[in-house]
Amino acid sequence: LNLWIPTGAAITLQRLATFHGVTKRQILEDLLLKEDTLVTKNMTQEQFDAYVFSGIRKSKQDSSEI
């Protein structure tokens, strides 16, 4: 993953990492996993499968465009 984020978000990311004594990478990993858990916790199995497989299909499309 290589991307640019707005300055305000970059400063916030650094501030959170410093506050928690972890890397910026760890902050991002934790935020993504927590959000994924929140999004999926009340899904039916059918909704969950659609959610999971939509990410896989999108990922394959993105890599084929490169």
Side-chain angles (χ1 to χ4, degrees):
L1 179 65
N2 187 9
L3 55 95
W4 288 94
I5 59 174
T7 302
I11 291 168
T12 300
L13 179 58
Q14 181 62 58
R15 186 171 50 236
L16 286 167
T18 300
F19 179 80
H20 289 290
V22 298
T23 63
K24 293 182 282 186
R25 177 183 176 155
Q26 188 63 52
I27 293 292
L28 289 172
E29 287 176 6
D30 291 349
L31 286 170
L32 290 168
L33 293 173
K34 285 177 187 175
E35 180 63 18
D36 189 63
T37 298
L38 286 172
V39 165
T40 60
K41 73 178 182 178
N42 293 319
M43 286 184 176
T44 65
Q45 186 63 50
E46 184 177 319
Q47 291 169 324
F48 180 79
D49 290 346
Y51 170 74
V52 169
F53 292 121
S54 70
I56 292 171
R57 283 192 300 275
K58 179 67 174 157
S59 179
K60 286 182 181 179
Q61 290 171 352
D62 289 346
S63 64
S64 67
E65 293 172 3
I66 296 174

